[in-house]
Amino acid sequence: MLAGRGEAPARELFRDAAFPASDSSLFFNLSTPLAQFREDITWRRPQDICAAPRLFPDNAWEGQVKQGLLGDCWFLCACAVLQKSRHLLDQVFPPGQPSWSDQTYCGLFTCRIWQFGQWEEVTIDDRLPCLAGRLCFSRCQREDVFWLPLLEKVYAKVCGSYEHLWAGQVADALVDLTGGLAERWSLKDLAGTSGQQDRPGRDWEQRTCRQLLRLKDRCLISCSVLSPRAGARDLGEFHAFIVSDLRELQSRAGQGILLLRILNPWGRHCWQGLWREGGEGWSQVGPAEESELLSQLQDGEFWVEEEEFLREFEEVTIGYPVTEAGHLQSLYTEKTLCHAQALPGAWVVGQSAGGCRNNSCFPCNPKYWLRLSEPSELCVAVLQRPRKHPAGRARALVGRGPAPSSLLAKDYQAKDYQAVGLHIWKVEKRRVSLPRILSTPPVAGTVCHAYDREVHLHCELSPGYYLAVPSTFLKDMPGQFLLRVFSTGKISLSAVRPVAKGASPGAALPAGEWETLQLRGCWRAGQTAGGSRNFASYLCNPCLPFSVPAGSGPRCIRITLHQHCQLSDSQLHPIGFHVFQVPAAGERQGAGPLLLQEPLLSCVPHRYAQEVSRLCLLSAGTYRVVPSTYLPDTEGSFTVTIATRVDRRSIHSQETLGQVLQEVSLTAVMKA
């Protein structure tokens, strides 16, 4: 239709060709009850659903999550973490998103999802699935608020389709939305902690509902029902809930009562326990307290007492708090885990897939040096990369409605994730006997190998060198993983290089070991994309600090600049970097004067490559590396890796373990 005289032509709205408004975005294999709505679902933009759409609510209740036809209660529970923390919300929804009332609105929104160690930007259009003109999947309490359905669409695009979200783990979604960690606690263990003496470590002594009371304001807490029981038959099965509050009261008899307020994402009351409205439990407290607590309930919320909670629910999931600086905080001590490092690894058949400690080839598994310079509280995690598709979900999944047939079989889950464990040994600083070390009890380790996307352990370790060994339960099971270490004290993490096959005990040792430091950043037009030294704007580029520790002489350093983009000529930018040495008297000086000097070394000319690298010798001191594109205002993100040669001989052993140790493989699969 032609625009009338004096009228601006209608703006053409963005349509995402990579995730179109079609069945390919809705369905994976039509295996869930969602398939029955295939002919009825239409796609509408928010301004076609309501008169005045907005992205965020005016108050928390208006933006509260509410589940629709899709069985993604696990994802919606994790989304509630963004309502508890503005800096987490800004991380996922970068500020400056368009408004439907803006003249610049074009139907395009961008979110960030954490995927296998990186924050990935995901762009979508705002066409949303509807039935009879209303949103048919997730929505907020106020249906004119759209942050939740837009984020659900972003996650569906990451996973492949909306149907891929039918069942999953709250913990996995929490990690993807925060980049942190999430723990799952069995409520059977919480209920029976006092009688268990065989649980290793201090964690089990501290995992109690009273601890949840301390954590309620700092992090998201979710709980799950995996199978129905008499008192909770209306809760459903394989369903996740949000623990929205905990309150400690005194009964009329002077006894302590712990109440938990539970939110059902279905948005309806479903609890018939003692503390329902009009229930017998309220007779234990005064009328004023009863009136106050009942008045706090919103749609879908109910109160439950601690004993009922432990009896009727089976699992809680708790996300580690994330500070505004991006550091995790311990669930146990509230200390900030301000030091973090991560390294990728792989189990390769015939090389490094040695299986669990029952196997004589266990020493073949990937091994990592972990050095602590001070007593530290640590959380060490092994994150698996799914082998088939990022939407693969393992172990006890939760989701609304009948279980999809594609998620029922144990072998389906085994296709996506291995049963994985992690063990840590204290080692000598120099050369060690690998068989002797690995045949002794580790100082820390996971209780069992588990079919989870991520397994982790919490421990307190003294200063020194440690050997961390992630493993699968069965040998010759291939897979990729990311080893992540979070610590209160300074740490250094490096991979132990394998000994070349056929090397004799008297042969020369391999090149050595390297400790790595990763520095991430981005080039932004008009801000940090200054271009090469040919341009006056060069001083605007990111200026990243690193230091070289003292040693017997200059250290061998490899500096690598990696730009984050696909390997195609149309997306690669010409990149390079310069390194400047900071004089002892100028450590507090700004970057500007330093960058006007001649660099100590350079990696130029700028090349159209995804990665450029320079090997050099550097003396002890402080340095700045300045990565740049050739032309100014060229946007992109990057990682600079500083690898420092370690003055320590590598582990060298081809011997086998002499003692068979007991290991357990644990899995729980969805039932029909």
Side-chain angles (χ1 to χ4, degrees), residues 118 229 320 443 538 565 586 656:
Q118 302 285 346
R229 287 173 299 285
Y320 275 61
V443 296
Y538 175 76
C565 61
T656 60

Side-chain angles (χ1 to χ4, degrees), residues 312-333:
E312 304 298 349
F313 293 86
E314 296 177 58
E315 186 176 81
V316 292
T317 300
I318 308 171
Y320 275 61
V322 183
T323 68
E324 292 191 18
H327 302 309
L328 301 190
Q329 286 184 303
S330 170
L331 294 178
Y332 304 99
T333 65

Side-chain angles (χ1 to χ4, degrees), residues 33-251:
L34 186 62
Q36 64 185 294
F37 302 103
R38 183 178 185 179
E39 303 298 327
D40 302 317
I41 292 178
T42 59
W43 297 77
R44 298 192 177 194
R45 297 187 188 267
Q47 64 269 35
D48 300 323
I49 299 173
C50 64
R54 50 199 173 126
L55 188 58
F56 298 114
D58 295 329
N59 59 64
W61 177 82
E62 291 180 348
Q64 195 175 76
V65 302
K66 194 170 183 180
Q67 187 178 355
L69 295 175
L70 192 60
D72 60 348
C73 54
W74 58 279
F75 174 67
L76 301 185
C77 287
C79 287
V81 73
L82 304 181
Q83 295 178 290
K84 299 176 74 73
S85 172
R86 182 70 197 187
H87 66 274
L88 290 180
L89 182 64
D90 288 343
Q91 176 69 65
V92 173
F93 273 95
Q97 298 284 345
S99 171
W100 290 273
S101 60
D102 292 344
Q103 291 185 350
T104 57
Y105 163 74
C106 62
L108 181 149
F109 288 84
T110 300
C111 291
R112 298 191 189 106
I113 302 295
W114 190 88
Q115 293 284 283
F116 205 71
Q118 302 285 346
W119 283 100
E120 304 288 350
E121 285 198 349
V122 184
T123 299
I124 58 166
D125 62 42
D126 60 355
R127 294 176 292 176
L128 299 169
C130 294
L131 277 175
R134 297 181 63 191
L135 294 171
C136 59
F137 298 149
S138 75
R139 65 190 70 135
C140 296
Q141 289 291 342
R142 281 288 301 266
E143 294 189 32
D144 60 348
V145 176
F146 285 91
W147 74 271
L148 182 64
L150 288 174
L151 182 56
E152 182 184 52
K153 182 174 182 177
V154 165
Y155 205 61
K157 181 177 180 178
V158 169
C159 294
S161 72
Y162 277 95
E163 193 172 47
H164 273 108
L165 305 186
W166 190 267
Q169 284 290 352
V170 178
D172 294 349
L174 272 174
V175 171
D176 291 344
L177 294 177
T178 66
L181 295 173
E183 288 194 6
R184 294 164 55 199
W185 298 354
S186 167
L187 293 181
K188 294 180 180 178
D189 291 316
L190 264 65
T193 299
S194 60
Q196 294 182 355
Q197 301 298 325
D198 58 342
R199 292 289 188 184
R202 296 168 49 189
D203 292 359
W204 291 99
E205 300 172 8
Q206 299 175 338
R207 292 181 178 181
T208 66
C209 284
R210 302 287 161 174
Q211 187 183 6
L212 301 183
L213 182 66
R214 179 174 57 82
L215 293 170
K216 67 172 185 175
D217 296 324
R218 300 172 49 221
C219 54
L220 181 107
I221 304 172
S222 174
C223 57
S224 301
V225 173
L226 304 181
S227 59
R229 287 173 299 285
R233 63 172 62 93
D234 294 326
L235 294 179
E237 59 182 334
F238 302 108
H239 190 43
F241 302 77
I242 299 168
V243 180
S244 50
D245 194 13
L246 292 93
R247 292 289 294 271
E248 197 167 23
L249 308 175
Q250 286 287 330
S251 70

